[in-house]
Amino acid sequence: PIHVVETGHFRGFLNTLQELLIASVDPKQDEFSIRFTGLSWFQRDLQDSTHHDLKRMDGVVLPLALLILCAVLPFTGFMVMLIPIWTIISTICAWSIIMRMLCSFIQVTQFTPSVMMSLTIGMGIDYTLFLLSRYLVDMELLVSGRMQLSPQRQSKSYVIRTVLETSGHTILASGLTLQCTFLGLCFLPLSMLRSVGVGSAIAIGCALIVNFTIVPALLHTQFGYWIVKPRKKRRADDPEARTWYEWWCCSRGNSTEEQETETEQETDAVDYLILEGSEITENSIREDAEEEPEEPETTNEDEVVPKDSIWYKLSRRLLDERKGTQVLLAILILVLPVGIYCLDVKTSISFESLLPQSSPSLETFHYLGARFGLGPLSPYHIIIDGRQADKHIDSMEAFEVMHKLVDKLKNATATKGVASNQIDLVRSSLEERELQLESNDAQFETDYSGIATLDGIRISHSEFISSKTCALIKPHCPLPTLHILDFVDKLCTSTDRMTTFITATLGVDPFTDEGIGWLLSARDAIAKMEQKGELRGYQVFIDGNAGTGYDAVQVVFDSFPHVVAVTLGVVFLLMGFFFKSVVVPIRSVVSICLTLAFVFGFMVLLYRYKILNWTGMHMFVGDGEVSWLTPIMSFSIIVGLALDYDVFLISRILEFRKQGYDHKSSIVAGLHTTGGIITAAGIIMAVAFGGLMWSASPALYQWSLVLTTAVLLDTFVIRTLLVPILMGYTGDRYSWWPQRMPEGTIRIWEESGEQHHDANGSANPLL
C-alpha cells in the first residue's frame, strides 16, 4: 500500500508480505516454494548484514582492543578498561544523536554505522591511550623529583593541564586533519559517499570532545585515581610484575633494589599527592617514603633512553648513514614493486559486491539467472520522446525512426558469449532433478521489444494501427497477436502518446564488461544518429540499473583525482600550519603516497591476480575485480591514519628538539617515548578495522583488508623505519625549515655511543 511506503514502514511491509505468502504455502501438499529478490530485498539483507557486523564489533573487536590497551599501560588489573569503555559509550551516544537528526536531511547508507563504529573503537581508544600514557610519564617524573617545577606547580592539576597542552595538542591536530580528509568525500557527487564522509567526521569529532572532557575530568577525581593507580610494591626480577611493554621497549637497566625502592617511593608519593593535598615537594616525598632509605640516583637512572631499549638500538642503526641507506633500499624494494600494480585496479559496479554472498535475495537472483539469464533480470529501456519536437510516437514517422534505431543498435552492439554468472548445474524444485545448461558456445543476441519491434520481429505501422482497431472491437477480434500488440502499447506508451520505450534484453550480464560495452556502443550509435539528423527531432535515452550504476561510478571516478589533489593539499597546509615548516608536510605527503601505492597494489595482486586464493579464506579470495567503493572509501581513511601516527611521532620529536636536544638525540628520544605506544595504537586500530574482514559483504571485507594492511605498514615500516631515516637525511638544518630550532646542548649519544648531559647535569628536562 502507498501509505505504508510513505510512512517509512516499508521494511515492515516486506516482512508482512513475506510471512503471508509463505504461510499460504503448505510444503506437504504444494509442489512449489516461494523466494524473494529485488532491490528492496537486497537492501533488507544488507541491513541485516550490517547489524551482524556491529554485533561482532561489540562482542569481539572491542574486548580485544581493550585487552591490548591494558597490556600496554603499566597498571595492575583491568580496571583501566573502564575509562575507554566510558569514552566509547559516550562517543557512540553523541554521534548517534547527531546522526539521528541528520537522517532527516541526508541519506545515510547502510554500512556507514559500521565505518563509524570502527573509527570510534580505533581512534577513541588510541586518543585515550595517548593521554593516559603521557599522564603516567609526567606523574612518574613529578613524584620521583625529576620534573624541575616550582612548588606551586607540583600538583596533579598542573600535570593534567600539561598533558592537554602537549598530547592534547597533538591529538587535536590529528583529529582535525582526519576530519578534513573524511569530509573530502563530500565533494564526490554521490550521496552514499557523502554520508560515509560526514558520519566519519562526526565520529572523530565526538571522540575528540569526549577525550578532551571526560578523560581529564575522571583523572581529577578520586574515582579516576582508583582506576589509574600506579603499581604497588613489586620485585623487579619477577617477570609477572612487569608488562610486556616494559620488557620490550622500556627496560631501564636498574638493579632490583633500585627499582623496588623507586616503585615504593612513587606509589606512596602519588598517594600523598592525591589524598593529602594538591602540592608536593621533595621533602614530602622523602618523608612519605622514609621507611625505605633513598638511594642516590645513578647514571643509568637518569638515562633518557636506556641503551638496552629496542628503540635505542633501532634508532642507532637507522641514523647511521650506511645502515640507514640499506634499510631505505630494502623498504623501496618491498614497496615499489607492489606499488606499481596500483595502476592496474579493475573495479566492478555490480551490486553483488555490496551484498552478503549468502543473502537469500542474492541466492534467489542467481537461481533466476541460471534459468532465464541475467539479461532479463536487469533489462535496459530505450526511451523515445517526441515532446520537444511536439510529435506523437504512434505516427508513421516515429515507426520509421524506431525501426532504424533498432537496426543501428543491432549492428553496433552485436555481442556473443555466456552470461558470466550462469550456473552450470542447478537443481529443479519441481522434479528434483539436475538440469545441465549446455549453452557454453551459444550465440547471445540482444532482444528488442516495443510497439515497433516485438521479440526481434519488426512491426509495421499498419499492423500497429490494426491492433488499435482490434482493441475497439475486442470481443469480435479473432487475432491474438493484435491483442498482444495493444497490450504492449498500453504498457510502454504514455497517455499523451508522445513517449514510449523499447525494452533491450541483453544476452550477457549487463553489469559485466560485455554489458557495459553494449551500453557504450549503443550510446555512440544514438549520438551518431542525432548528429546526422536521423532521429528527426525525437530524443532517445537509455535507462537501466547497470547504466545508472555505471554513470554514477564514472562521475565519482572523474571527480576522484580532484578529491585526491585537494586532500593532499589540505594535508600539506595543515601539517605546515601545525609544525610551522615546509619540509615536514613534504615528507608526510611522500610517505603517504608510498603507503597508498603499496596498499592499492597489494589489493590488485590479491583480488585481481588472486595470489592468495589458495588459502580458501573468503577475505583473501578474488574474482578478478574489486568493488568500486573500496578504493574510493579507503583513500581518505588511509591518508588520515597515515598522517595520524606521523603527527604523534613528529610532535614528540619536535618537543624534545625545543627542549635542547640535538637533532639525532631528539629523534632517538621521540622514537623511544612514542614507539611502543604508537605501535600498540596501530595494533588496536588494525584490530578495529580487521574485525570487518569477517563480514559477508565483499565491499566491507575488501575495505577492511585494505585499511588493516595500511595501518600495519604505516605502524611497523613507514613510521618506525622510513620517517627516522628521512629525518636523518634532512638533518637539523632542513628538517624543520624555515622554523629555527634552539642550539642542541643535550646529546644522548655520540658516534661512539656515549651519553652526554647538558651543562647543569640534567639528562631529562621533559617539561
Side-chain angles (χ1 to χ4, degrees):
I2 298 299
H3 71 277
V4 174
V5 179
E6 290 179 347
T7 53
H9 299 288
F10 188 59
R11 180 181 174 89
F13 167 71
L14 292 180
N15 293 335
T16 303
L17 175 63
Q18 183 178 15
E19 293 173 359
L20 290 175
L21 292 177
I22 293 178
S24 65
V25 178
D26 187 354
K28 297 181 180 180
Q29 298 180 1
D30 298 329
E31 296 182 351
F32 62 90
S33 61
I34 297 178
R35 303 184 186 183
F36 303 88
T37 190
L39 182 59
S40 300
W41 303 98
F42 292 156
Q43 293 176 344
R44 192 186 69 162
D45 289 346
L46 185 57
Q47 290 177 355
D48 293 339
S49 176
T50 300
H51 294 159
H52 183 71
D53 293 337
L54 292 177
K55 290 181 180 179
R56 185 189 302 110
M57 299 288 290
D58 295 338
V60 179
V61 175
L62 179 57
L64 184 58
L66 293 174
L67 288 176
I68 296 174
L69 176 69
C70 293
V72 174
L73 293 178
F75 301 131
T76 56
F78 297 96
M79 300 308 297
V80 65
M81 289 194 297
L82 293 177
I83 292 182
I85 290 176
W86 192 292
T87 58
I88 288 175
I89 292 176
S90 301
T91 302
I92 294 175
C93 291
W95 60 250
S96 297
I97 295 174
I98 297 175
M99 293 302 294
R100 175 68 177 175
M101 294 185 293
L102 286 180
C103 285
S104 303
F105 304 97
I106 63 174
Q107 179 183 0
V108 179
T109 188
Q110 286 89 344
F111 47 80
T112 298
S114 298
V115 177
M116 297 177 67
M117 182 63 73
S118 296
L119 289 172
T120 300
I121 294 177
M123 302 310 302
I125 294 181
D126 279 3
Y127 291 159
T128 305
L129 173 62
F130 282 108
L131 291 175
L132 293 181
S133 61
R134 184 58 183 268
Y135 170 79
L136 285 176
V137 170
D138 290 354
M139 287 296 293
E140 178 186 2
L141 296 176
L142 177 62
V143 300
S144 62
R146 286 177 289 165
M147 182 182 292
Q148 300 176 4
L149 296 173
S150 61
Q152 292 77 12
R153 292 186 174 184
Q154 292 182 359
S155 65
K156 184 179 65 172
S157 299
Y158 180 78
V159 172
I160 295 175
R161 187 175 66 184
T162 304
V163 169
L164 292 177
E165 291 175 353
T166 53
S167 295
H169 177 270
T170 303
I171 291 173
L172 179 62
S174 170
L176 291 178
T177 306
L178 274 171
Q179 285 183 304
C180 290
T181 57
F182 289 132
L183 290 175
L185 294 175
C186 296
F187 294 97
L188 295 174
L190 202 60
S191 58
M192 63 185 301
L193 293 177
R194 294 195 190 105
S195 71
V196 174
V198 172
S200 300
I202 291 175
I204 295 297
C206 293
L208 287 174
I209 294 173
V210 168
N211 277 275
F212 284 148
T213 54
I214 292 181
V215 173
L218 286 176
L219 293 178
H220 272 290
T221 63
Q222 179 66 29
F223 178 73
Y225 165 67
W226 176 63
I227 296 176
V228 190
K229 189 175 183 180
R231 293 181 300 273
K232 295 296 183 182
K233 183 176 180 178
R234 66 184 182 188
R235 289 187 57 83
D237 57 352
D238 182 6
E240 296 182 357
R242 308 183 73 195
T243 64
W244 68 268
Y245 171 73
E246 291 174 294
W247 279 112
W248 178 35
C249 61
C250 293
S251 177
R252 302 185 63 85
N254 296 20
S255 64
T256 301
E257 293 79 6
E258 290 171 344
Q259 290 191 1
E260 182 178 337
T261 301
E262 178 190 356
T263 302
E264 292 176 357
Q265 291 177 349
E266 291 180 3
T267 303
D268 293 338
V270 173
D271 288 338
Y272 179 87
L273 177 67
I274 301 299
L275 301 176
E276 300 295 333
S278 61
E279 297 182 358
I280 183 169
T281 63
E282 294 181 3
N283 292 332
S284 63
I285 296 175
R286 293 191 179 96
E287 292 174 0
D288 198 60
E290 61 183 359
E291 295 180 4
E292 290 288 342
E294 183 179 5
E295 298 290 339
E297 294 182 349
T298 63
T299 302
N300 286 336
E301 178 70 13
D302 285 337
E303 286 184 355
V304 178
V305 182
K307 293 180 182 178
D308 58 352
S309 166
I310 187 174
W311 301 108
Y312 176 83
K313 298 175 182 179
L314 177 64
S315 58
R316 288 277 312 214
R317 288 165 173 77
L318 296 178
L319 295 178
D320 181 81
E321 185 175 351
R322 180 177 61 85
K323 296 179 181 179
T325 302
Q326 294 174 353
V327 175
L328 177 61
L329 291 176
I331 294 174
L332 295 178
I333 291 174
L334 169 69
V335 173
L336 293 182
V338 177
I340 292 176
Y341 286 93
C342 71
L343 302 176
D344 237 0
V345 177
K346 183 180 180 182
T347 59
S348 171
I349 65 171
S350 175
F351 57 85
E352 296 182 29
S353 63
L354 303 177
L355 294 175
Q357 296 302 301
S358 59
S359 65
S361 59
L362 186 59
E363 291 178 351
T364 304
F365 186 83
H366 288 159
Y367 186 85
L368 294 175
R371 284 158 172 75
F372 304 104
L374 293 177
L377 300 183
S378 300
Y380 283 104
H381 292 152
I382 304 172
I383 302 172
I384 300 94
D385 186 14
R387 288 176 298 176
Q388 187 176 26
D390 195 21
K391 294 182 178 181
H392 288 80
I393 207 66
D394 52 3
S395 63
M396 182 177 293
E397 181 186 27
F399 268 69
E400 292 176 355
V401 170
M402 287 187 282
H403 290 159
K404 195 167 188 176
L405 174 63
V406 171
D407 292 340
K408 292 283 186 180
L409 293 180
K410 286 182 178 180
N411 295 331
T413 62
T415 60
K416 65 179 181 179
V418 182
S420 61
N421 289 328
Q422 285 201 6
I423 303 174
D424 294 330
L425 194 63
V426 296
R427 182 170 296 276
S428 173
S429 61
L430 296 177
E431 301 178 3
E432 292 295 329
R433 62 182 179 83
E434 295 182 347
L435 177 64
Q436 183 69 32
L437 299 180
E438 299 177 351
S439 56
N440 295 332
D441 299 323
Q443 299 285 335
F444 284 88
E445 296 183 356
T446 302
D447 175 71
Y448 299 90
S449 294
I451 62 175
T453 178
L454 189 61
D455 198 19
I457 301 175
R458 177 178 293 190
I459 305 298
S460 65
H461 183 257
S462 59
E463 292 172 332
F464 174 76
I465 296 299
S466 299
S467 70
K468 304 309 294 180
T469 303
C470 179
L472 297 177
I473 55 171
K474 196 169 188 178
H476 308 286
C477 181
L479 299 177
T481 303
L482 298 182
H483 290 290
I484 294 175
L485 288 178
D486 178 64
F487 173 78
V488 171
D489 177 58
K490 294 179 179 179
L491 182 67
C492 300
T493 306
S494 62
T495 56
D496 61 2
R497 315 299 300 171
M498 288 189 174
T499 305
T500 189
F501 66 85
I502 300 173
T503 301
T505 305
L506 274 60
V508 296
D509 184 357
F511 291 93
T512 60
D513 290 341
E514 293 83 0
I516 297 302
W518 179 93
L519 174 65
L520 299 179
S521 299
R523 287 177 174 176
D524 289 340
I526 293 173
K528 291 179 180 179
M529 290 185 65
E530 186 175 8
Q531 290 177 356
K532 296 178 181 179
E534 295 176 346
L535 296 180
R536 304 181 187 179
Y538 289 95
Q539 291 181 301
V540 179
F541 309 95
I542 300 180
D543 175 53
N545 291 334
T548 302
Y550 172 78
D551 291 340
V553 173
Q554 195 64 33
V555 171
V556 169
F557 276 99
D558 289 342
S559 304
F560 190 57
H562 303 287
V563 173
V564 171
V566 171
T567 301
L568 294 179
V570 170
V571 167
F572 184 89
L573 294 176
L574 288 177
M575 291 291 288
F577 172 77
F578 285 121
F579 292 100
K580 298 179 176 61
S581 172
V582 175
V583 179
V584 171
I586 292 177
R587 183 196 47 73
S588 297
V589 170
V590 170
S591 62
I592 289 173
C593 290
L594 285 177
T595 301
L596 289 170
F598 178 86
V599 169
F600 287 144
F602 180 72
M603 178 186 69
V604 172
L605 291 174
L606 195 64
Y607 294 116
R608 182 171 183 181
Y609 295 102
K610 311 173 185 178
I611 62 173
L612 293 182
N613 274 20
W614 56 270
T615 62
M617 302 180 68
H618 76 280
M619 71 283 292
F620 297 143
V621 175
D623 59 359
E625 297 177 329
V626 297
S627 173
W628 66 273
L629 277 175
T630 300
I632 297 295
M633 286 179 52
S634 59
F635 167 77
S636 297
I637 301 178
I638 291 174
V639 171
L641 294 178
L643 201 61
D644 190 37
Y645 300 139
D646 191 64
V647 169
F648 289 140
L649 174 61
I650 299 302
S651 297
R652 198 68 167 127
I653 294 175
L654 179 60
E655 186 178 344
F656 279 108
R657 185 64 188 88
K658 289 184 175 181
Q659 290 170 2
Y661 288 80
D662 68 2
H663 180 63
K664 290 188 176 181
S665 297
S666 63
I667 296 176
V668 176
L671 190 61
H672 169 74
T673 54
T674 63
I677 298 297
I678 295 179
T679 300
I683 296 175
I684 291 174
M685 186 64 68
V687 170
F689 286 118
L692 290 176
M693 280 197 290
W694 277 265
S695 173
S697 172
L700 277 182
Y701 69 67
Q702 290 172 4
W703 176 80
S704 172
L705 190 137
V706 166
L707 292 183
T708 303
T709 304
V711 169
L712 295 177
L713 175 70
D714 188 74
T715 300
F716 292 100
V717 178
I718 301 299
R719 186 265 310 162
T720 304
L721 304 176
L722 183 63
V723 171
I725 292 175
L726 294 180
M727 293 193 69
Y729 283 155
T730 54
D732 192 39
R733 181 177 181 181
Y734 297 107
S735 291
W736 312 104
W737 186 87
Q739 186 177 183
R740 298 177 64 88
M741 293 291 110
E743 182 180 357
T745 58
I746 306 173
R747 184 173 300 170
I748 295 178
W749 53 274
E750 290 183 333
E751 298 302 325
S752 61
E754 298 180 355
Q755 180 166 353
H756 288 257
H757 306 271
D758 61 356
N760 298 325
S762 175
N764 195 15
L766 292 180
L767 294 176

